[in-house]
Amino acid sequence: MPIMSATHGEPRADSALDPSAARIREMGTAAVEWAAAYHESIRDLPIAPRVSAAELNRRLAEPLPVDGRDFAELLDVFRDVIVPGSRHNGHPRFFGYVSAPGTAVAAVADLLASTLNANLPAWRSAPAPTELEHVTIGWIGEALGCDPGAGGLFTSGGSMANLTALAAARHRHCGDAVAIHGAGAHPAPLRVYASTETHHSVHKAAALLGIGRANVREIPVDAGFRMDVDALVEAVEQDRAAGLEPFCVVANAGTVVTGAVDPLREVAAVARRYGLWMHVDAAYGGFARLAPSARPLFDGLAEADSIALDPHKWLYLPADCGCLIYRDPEAARAAFRLDADYTRVTQTEPAEAFAFWDYGPDLSRRFRALKVWMLLAHAGSRALGEAIEGNLDCARHLGELVDASDEFELLAPVGLSIVCFRYLPRTMRDEPRSDADEQRLDRLNERIMVALQQGGSSYLSNASVAGRFALRGCVLNYRTTRRDMEILLDDVRRAARQVLDAEE
Ligand SMILES: *Cc1c(COP(=O)(O)O)cnc(C)c1O
């Protein structure tokens, strides 16, 4: 039914594309009702769905709708098919991968950001949102102990932040020659250094930038899975003597497999000595600096030229939100500058001439800063630090339970909030074990993991630690308690019995 617009006196259609205020309220209320109920019940949901792709396809696939349907009908599909067909990453015993639970306030912020539909390529496109991104990036820099001159931007994720940092590092070393003429314009092969535990997005970045995966030289680690800095120096010296050009070292602040933090201050000293760009991949671990017990591990972080972070990990935010901090943003600018008519800026005040496209590959950018700002300002750094400290405590508690048990063994020291362990039947505790025994343990633990995931009460993913199959848990949820760690081990025991019984 046509209604009258308040502003122009013109009849305004109430349509799917341009709904009336009443209709927007109706859609919003129904969606928010669902959101509130979801948060209430998330602890009781089975973590992972037991669905097949064929079943989902049967329920969702249809020809492109020509005529529209009611929102209520679509919300029913969301409730009846999408939600039960999803893994519930916010469940307090979902310990797979490196996965945040999301927060309610950030979900609301995303609704507001999409409604405002701010696009942030530059200040002129979105003055207040751009300022808010600067302020929020400043807060993150403060949380990490960065110098006041640091700056940066939000990205889609940690992979994009790593890629962007490597592009800036490469440009500082090679200048415009490579930007204009391609990687072949640089006379010698470039070398990046990173520990054997480094996330594959660093290798992927090297491939995409034409540096080459083979030029990411992997540095061995110590018993705690931290980079061996003497081996780093040796590798750089060797490469230089062979006519290769070291230009960048990537240190980890929380490896994805065991949560190890490289000795950042020592790596920084090597970077300075050899004129290398120091990048820190802190996508998983960076925000743990907010927890007093982990803070000393991050000594030296502020010396890095760039730091990749994932607010969609340990700031608990819903995807997507990565972040890249530059110690000196001006050093990065030359790598991304491009002149085109549509990127010509007419503002003369430097803050108003500011453009994010000078600091990364994206042009159009979502208003990610709103959810980060709303979470940080609403929860405060104290509550966030306490939640992160609680996650560290849960992981240490699990480590102690595993150590004290005669059915489990740790496969790596507990790093930040990650625990790698395995089930070890009492009959196999006596060493030495043969290769065949080890392979049997690998297979057994893999089947235990699958049974655990299917059980729906607790969820672990897998890792390979020194060649052995590990059950790996990462605690990254403000809902998780010590009691959840005890339930997890009971669930693993039950899954183990189920697998062993089926074997007999
Ligand atoms: C998750 C992760 C990445 C990749 O980040 P995305 O946001 O998934 O792109 C890189 N490095 C580490 C250490 C990570 O934990």
Side-chain angles (χ1 to χ4, degrees):
M1 184 180 38
I3 54 165
M4 301 296 281
S5 138
T7 43
H8 300 295
E10 297 278 332
R12 178 152 110 56
D14 172 24
S15 70
L17 278 177
D18 193 10
S20 66
R23 244 222 267 200
I24 293 170
R25 272 188 206 105
E26 202 178 300
M27 288 192 290
T29 305
V32 169
E33 280 300 328
W34 174 83
Y38 181 68
H39 280 269
E40 282 282 288
S41 66
I42 193 158
R43 190 172 260 284
D44 306 318
L45 296 173
I47 297 171
R50 301 185 73 167
V51 285
S52 70
E55 156 91 4
L56 289 172
N57 183 267
R58 189 179 60 69
R59 299 195 63 184
L60 292 171
E62 61 174 326
L64 170 66
V66 175
D67 297 309
R69 289 205 291 274
D70 275 351
F71 176 76
E73 231 178 278
L74 307 181
L75 192 60
D76 282 344
V77 175
F78 176 77
R79 258 193 300 248
D80 300 343
V81 185
I82 310 283
V83 175
S86 295
R87 196 182 66 202
H88 301 294
N89 297 336
H91 188 288
R93 284 189 304 281
F94 177 68
F95 302 116
Y97 321 101
V98 184
S99 192
T103 69
V105 70
V108 171
D110 265 346
L111 171 66
L112 298 175
S114 290
T115 302
L116 182 62
N117 188 26
N119 183 359
L120 289 72
W123 186 91
R124 65 154 188 222
S125 312
T130 296
E131 194 54 42
L132 194 71
E133 183 155 341
H134 291 324
V135 167
T136 311
I137 291 281
W139 286 354
I140 290 177
E142 203 181 316
L144 298 180
C146 293
D147 293 335
L153 72 175
F154 292 115
T155 63
S156 53
S159 302
M160 191 50 123
N162 283 336
L163 173 70
T164 305
L166 251 60
R170 199 257 303 265
H171 195 276
R172 187 179 77 175
H173 185 82
C174 298
D176 275 338
V178 164
I180 296 168
H181 300 292
H186 195 77
L190 301 174
R191 298 285 263 183
V192 183
Y193 302 84
S195 87
T196 51
E197 304 302 300
T198 302
H199 192 269
H200 62 64
S201 59
V202 170
H203 304 79
K204 188 171 184 174
L208 293 175
L209 291 167
I211 294 163
R213 276 200 296 273
N215 285 314
V216 180
R217 181 152 177 185
E218 295 198 343
I219 307 300
V221 291
D222 65 16
F225 298 92
R226 292 173 298 246
M227 185 189 281
D228 174 342
V229 180
D230 291 336
L232 169 66
V233 170
E234 211 172 294
V236 172
E237 292 277 2
Q238 255 176 18
D239 282 355
R240 278 183 151 192
L244 307 170
E245 285 187 24
F247 80 102
C248 180
V249 58
V250 178
N252 289 298
T255 61
V256 74
V257 174
T258 69
V261 180
D262 288 335
L264 301 175
R265 203 171 280 291
E266 293 171 43
V267 174
V270 174
R272 258 197 319 275
R273 187 157 127 213
Y274 293 97
L276 309 178
W277 177 290
M278 177 179 173
H279 174 64
V280 177
D281 182 354
Y284 154 56
F287 292 106
R289 192 177 179 278
L290 286 169
S293 74
R295 179 164 290 203
L297 293 170
F298 297 91
D299 271 2
L301 179 62
E303 293 180 53
D305 294 289
S306 54
I307 306 169
L309 293 145
D310 258 339
H312 70 207
K313 286 176 177 165
W314 226 337
L315 269 191
Y316 305 122
L317 289 172
D320 63 7
C321 192
C323 174
L324 180 61
I325 305 267
Y326 297 113
R327 187 168 49 80
D328 172 15
E330 286 317 295
R333 195 154 177 233
F336 302 103
R337 284 197 53 152
L338 245 195
D339 296 318
D341 273 349
Y342 45 85
T343 58
R344 205 171 63 221
V345 168
T346 52
Q347 284 79 2
T348 50
E349 157 71 27
E352 297 177 7
F354 176 88
F356 285 110
W357 67 63
D358 283 340
Y359 301 91
D362 289 317
L363 189 60
S364 292
R365 299 170 64 254
R366 304 195 317 112
F367 187 13
R368 296 186 181 95
L370 191 67
K371 65 182 169 188
V372 186
W373 174 76
M374 277 200 173
L375 176 75
L376 288 172
H378 185 55
S381 66
R382 187 187 313 128
L384 284 164
E386 284 168 5
I388 294 167
E389 193 68 69
N391 296 160
L392 297 168
D393 177 65
C394 282
R396 290 175 197 136
H397 183 53
L398 176 60
E400 285 158 15
L401 293 174
V402 164
D403 249 352
S405 149
D406 60 358
E407 286 172 281
F408 297 106
E409 72 173 353
L410 277 177
L411 289 179
V414 176
L416 296 178
S417 68
I418 296 179
V419 185
C420 289
F421 67 107
R422 66 177 170 180
Y423 182 79
L424 185 63
R426 291 191 182 89
T427 53
M428 291 183 78
R429 288 195 77 84
D430 294 334
E431 296 193 69
R433 282 185 291 270
S434 66
D435 277 356
D437 289 339
E438 289 291 348
Q439 282 164 21
R440 178 163 172 252
L441 279 175
D442 287 350
R443 282 194 305 272
L444 173 63
N445 277 278
E446 182 160 3
R447 289 164 65 192
I448 291 172
M449 181 189 75
V450 172
L452 180 79
Q453 291 176 352
Q454 288 177 348
S457 165
S458 296
Y459 193 110
L460 296 169
S461 56
N462 58 292
S464 170
V465 178
R468 299 274 62 101
F469 184 96
L471 300 168
R472 174 187 164 288
C474 176
V475 187
L476 213 74
N477 187 334
Y478 47 83
R479 294 186 178 101
T480 306
T481 64
R482 282 182 151 226
R483 174 82 189 114
D484 285 312
M485 312 320 290
E486 290 149 22
I487 297 173
L488 163 67
L489 277 193
D490 286 343
D491 289 341
V492 179
R493 276 192 198 95
R494 192 172 320 113
R497 252 186 319 262
Q498 188 188 321
V499 169
L500 290 168
D501 285 353
E503 271 182 0
E504 277 160 14

